[in-house]
Amino acid sequence: MSGVSLSGRPTGIGSAVLALYAVYLVVPMALILIGSFGNAWSNTLLPVGVTGRWYETLATNAAFQKAFWTSLWVCFATVIVSVLIGAPLAYAVATAKSPGMAMLGRIIYLTPVAAPAVVLGFGYMLAFSTETLPFLGAGWLTVAAHTVVCLPYLLQTLVADLKLQGIEQLEQAAESLGAPFHRRFLDIVLPGLVHSIASAAILVAALSIGEFQLTNLIAGFLHRTYPIVLLQAFYGASGFACAATVVLLTLALISAVAGAMVARKATFSGVVTA
Amino acid sequence: MTLALENLHFNYPGAGAGVRDISLEIRDGELLAVIGPSGCGKSTILKLIAGFLMPHQGVIRIGDQDVSSVPPRKRDLGIVFQNYALFPHMSIAENIGYPLKLRNVPTAEAWPRIREALEMVGLAHLADRPPRSLSGGQQQRVALARALVFRPRALLLDEPLSALDAAMRGEMRDEILRLQRLYGIATLHITHDQEEALSMANRVAVMREGRVLQVDTPEALYARPVNRAVATFVGHANLMDGEVLAENRVRTPLGDLACARHAFSAGAGVSVLIRPEAIRPVAAADGVNRFAGTVTRNRFLGSLRRFDFALSGGAKLMVEVDHQVAPPPAIELPPEALLVIASSS
């Protein structure tokens, strides 16, 4: 029996699976939220007592504050660099005349997804800890690494959107009307990608904010991001760890909700689905 | 301005398909339709003229200018694409005004031209709407207005009606013809729909396997196809293999038949064509080219009726008669309607 009715509404087994998944998704987050306001939490199902001191401690903790702002600027820079590289690259892949070139482009930009982050991180460590390239721990290297990790997701979105729009024919139409390459790119390609760039950029932001594996290997002491510092909180009081996690969770949720809203707007305006 | 193709040759890399030795001329104000089965090369011709493909041999002229190596943006050709290719982020007016913007036409001059183009296609009231809010027919009108607003040297139509439903297709045929006549512009119309081509074009080119088989007026193409391939593609046809006996006699599986005069020599292998509507229902098989038989299928098609008429020898012919005619016991193949044509190209 199908779990989804013809009208697209979940039914029977589908509803049960959906409910179970929602519980699985929400319960850990709810517990973290409750724990962040708990006075003490040890060997009990729920914390004992209510307090806001963990957030006060967090707000005055210099290491967390610095990590928070580092995460924000790394995230912002990653988004900018990803879009600047991603938009032309997506265009090149989507409009590649030779199937071989298109395939090569896909392999190159999907490799970071296939390769484990620890492999990439180890590669960065080897490459950038030499006397010739002594950049391990530099902030810009973290941005570069985040860009490598996030770019495939941005490209997937943009390439799919370009193909969905039939960009090749739109460009041919513009060209036949008299548009040289730069006008076609600025007048037709980029405006058509506005919504998907926005939603992909928010996806990149969410990935960058939460990136841990690679950053843990390459970020120096001066440029530790929030997830790296958060790990240390797990060795201290549970309430403090929960409060620190809630901050990260809030950043991630803001990104996800903003992404969903942009995607919804794009869908309704018909640009993405045209 | 006249559009001319001279001995055009193109092959897709790694594939046998392409076009060979294409020579066509579309005169000012003329609409030439190119028809043929899928993969015959008709769209390749449009891409070559537009400049999206470069010919390996041959010349493309617009007026007196050889544009074979001129980039598409400098050819000044209006193109209407099969799926309209309207820019989704621009309004209708912006879409139509885009070629004027590219030509740096001042706003004061551009807007009256955009308005005129909108009025010409009856969409002035939708100027600010986005393309997606329009029906298929309306979008095609916008595409047509956009292709004409900058006064191109020729117009290329790439299966412009194939995405529309049957009712809208008829309406758009008239609309395209009206605008094409109004602008008096040389127009190439690519289509796989023979009815569309025959009803709209001044002349029709029939293509097969990358070659043009025949270019003629719709009437001549139907009445005097040069070979079996053209006869098969244009209209319904009864075709038989034959051997020429004399200038007005041919041997066929139905027997020796009297036929229209032809230029083939005796003994030549030919094809023998008779159109379904040229076959006459008769009361008895007692005369030249008359055969008895039975109607095996009887289809009512509105103003006419189409029979499958099985002859006693086993051969079957398609017959079209007025819808009021009853299934006949015999048919006549009038000699003047029995055409002897080449078997191959």
Side-chain angles (χ1 to χ4, degrees):
Chain A
M1 189 182 117
S2 167
V4 177
S5 73
L6 286 177
S7 64
R9 242 181 269 157
T11 59
I13 295 171
S15 300
V17 170
L18 200 61
L20 273 176
Y21 181 70
V23 169
Y24 180 77
L25 191 72
V26 170
V27 164
M29 288 195 278
L31 282 176
I32 287 170
L33 187 65
I34 294 166
S36 72
F37 291 104
N39 193 31
W41 195 2
S42 178
N43 291 326
T44 51
L45 182 62
L46 292 171
V48 179
V50 178
T51 181
R53 72 186 161 105
W54 304 121
Y55 286 100
E56 285 169 27
T57 309
L58 196 60
T60 54
N61 186 311
F64 271 87
Q65 278 191 6
K66 185 170 183 341
F68 180 85
W69 291 112
T70 301
S71 267
L72 280 186
W73 81 255
V74 165
C75 166
F76 181 73
T78 301
V79 168
I80 298 293
V81 175
S82 295
V83 170
L84 287 178
I85 296 174
L89 191 55
Y91 171 78
V93 172
T95 59
K97 297 287 178 205
S98 145
M101 280 300 291
M103 181 61 77
L104 184 65
R106 276 179 194 285
I107 289 170
I108 289 171
Y109 80 65
L110 286 176
T111 299
V113 177
V118 69
V119 174
L120 289 174
F122 187 55
Y124 275 101
M125 282 171 72
L126 287 178
F128 295 107
S129 59
T130 60
E131 280 186 14
T132 319
L133 300 167
F135 303 123
L136 201 65
W140 67 262
L141 190 64
T142 306
V143 172
H146 279 210
T147 303
V148 168
V149 170
C150 297
L151 202 56
Y153 301 96
L154 180 123
L155 284 170
Q156 283 285 52
T157 308
L158 300 194
V159 170
D161 191 18
L162 284 169
K163 295 209 163 173
L164 204 63
Q165 288 183 41
I167 196 67
E168 193 179 356
Q169 192 152 77
L170 290 178
E171 266 209 282
Q172 283 185 345
E175 193 175 9
S176 73
L177 295 171
F181 174 76
H182 73 279
R183 291 298 298 269
R184 299 199 297 275
F185 193 75
L186 294 174
D187 295 345
I188 309 301
V189 178
L190 278 184
L193 279 179
V194 163
H195 290 289
S196 54
I197 283 178
S199 60
I202 288 162
L203 178 66
V204 168
L207 287 169
S208 174
I209 287 278
E211 212 298 318
F212 174 79
Q213 276 183 289
L214 184 56
T215 318
N216 192 37
L217 291 174
I218 64 164
F221 187 76
L222 292 174
H223 300 290
R224 289 185 303 172
T225 57
Y226 197 86
I228 309 300
V229 180
L230 179 63
L231 180 67
Q232 293 169 2
F234 295 157
Y235 299 110
S238 301
F240 182 73
C242 287
T245 307
V246 167
V247 172
L248 185 64
L249 194 61
T250 306
L251 277 178
L253 279 177
I254 288 170
S255 299
V257 170
M261 284 170 67
V262 170
R264 183 183 159 86
K265 190 180 169 196
T267 304
F268 277 112
S269 70
V271 174
V272 170
T273 55
Chain B
M1 209 167 274
T2 300
L3 180 64
L5 314 181
E6 297 167 14
N7 309 111
L8 221 52
H9 190 103
F10 176 83
N11 264 339
Y12 287 98
V19 294
R20 281 165 290 170
D21 200 24
I22 303 292
S23 293
L24 289 171
E25 188 181 81
I26 311 168
R27 293 179 281 271
D28 219 7
E30 183 185 32
L31 194 152
L32 178 90
V34 178
I35 57 172
S38 295
C40 72
K42 54 189 188 296
S43 289
T44 303
I45 289 184
L46 183 135
K47 287 176 186 167
L48 286 165
I49 298 172
F52 302 141
L53 295 174
M54 293 287 281
H56 294 132
Q57 283 174 34
V59 175
I60 301 165
R61 289 185 200 284
I62 304 175
D64 295 329
Q65 186 193 4
D66 177 356
V67 296
S68 310
S69 53
V70 173
R73 69 177 192 277
K74 292 185 176 169
R75 293 194 182 193
D76 266 336
L77 295 169
I79 304 178
V80 177
F81 293 87
Q82 185 176 353
N83 60 358
Y84 326 127
L86 299 179
F87 307 129
H89 58 285
M90 295 184 190
S91 70
I92 302 307
E94 285 166 341
N95 261 281
I96 294 174
Y98 188 60
L100 302 178
K101 186 176 161 190
L102 290 169
R103 285 163 179 75
N104 297 317
V105 176
T107 312
E109 186 188 335
W111 272 107
R113 281 171 70 177
I114 295 167
R115 258 197 305 275
E116 182 190 320
L118 278 165
E119 279 162 12
M120 211 167 51
V121 293
L123 296 175
H125 58 296
L126 300 175
D128 297 326
R129 297 263 289 269
R132 68 176 183 281
S133 66
L134 271 56
S135 69
Q138 288 172 327
Q139 289 191 46
Q140 198 57 287
R141 282 192 172 90
V142 176
L144 201 54
R146 186 180 68 178
L148 289 168
V149 73
F150 62 101
R151 292 161 194 152
R153 297 194 284 179
L155 181 64
L156 309 180
L157 308 172
D158 186 9
E159 308 228 17
L161 308 180
S162 60
L164 303 176
D165 60 44
M168 188 55 73
R169 270 204 297 274
E171 192 181 311
M172 279 306 294
R173 270 183 210 171
D174 296 341
E175 185 74 3
I176 289 173
L177 270 181
R178 182 179 70 81
L179 292 170
Q180 194 262 342
R181 302 276 187 263
L182 186 69
Y183 279 79
I185 188 170
T187 302
L188 178 82
H189 181 184
I190 302 294
T191 179
H192 64 272
D193 184 337
Q194 53 164 294
E195 188 187 318
E196 189 179 303
L198 296 178
S199 66
M200 290 176 71
N202 300 103
R203 288 186 304 148
V204 178
V206 181
M207 282 192 73
R208 186 166 174 170
E209 293 171 355
R211 290 183 185 279
V212 172
L213 301 180
Q214 186 174 358
V215 187
D216 228 321
T217 61
E219 295 81 4
L221 208 61
Y222 187 77
R224 295 184 296 280
V226 292
N227 59 37
R228 192 181 185 108
V230 176
T232 308
F233 196 76
V234 181
H236 294 293
N238 292 297
L239 282 157
M240 298 168 271
D241 291 328
E243 182 190 340
V244 171
L245 298 175
E247 64 174 8
N248 59 353
R249 284 199 75 75
V250 64
R251 177 159 295 155
T252 74
L254 305 184
D256 294 350
L257 300 176
C259 62
R261 287 182 186 280
H262 57 80
F264 292 93
S265 45
V270 292
S271 287
V272 180
L273 161 73
I274 186 160
R275 297 289 184 188
E277 69 278 11
I279 298 176
R280 284 189 204 136
V282 289
D286 54 351
V288 176
N289 289 4
R290 289 192 173 194
F291 300 92
T294 52
V295 170
T296 56
R297 284 189 72 184
N298 180 351
R299 281 153 288 190
F300 174 70
L301 301 173
S303 61
L304 58 87
R305 194 174 284 281
R306 186 176 295 149
F307 299 133
D308 283 352
F309 195 84
L311 276 58
S312 47
K316 201 177 271 186
L317 294 173
M318 188 191 296
V319 182
E320 284 179 2
V321 293
D322 185 90
H323 71 284
Q324 290 175 326
V325 174
I331 55 169
E332 178 190 344
L333 313 181
E336 67 278 9
L338 206 65
L339 302 180
V340 173
I341 58 176
S343 291
S344 69
S345 54

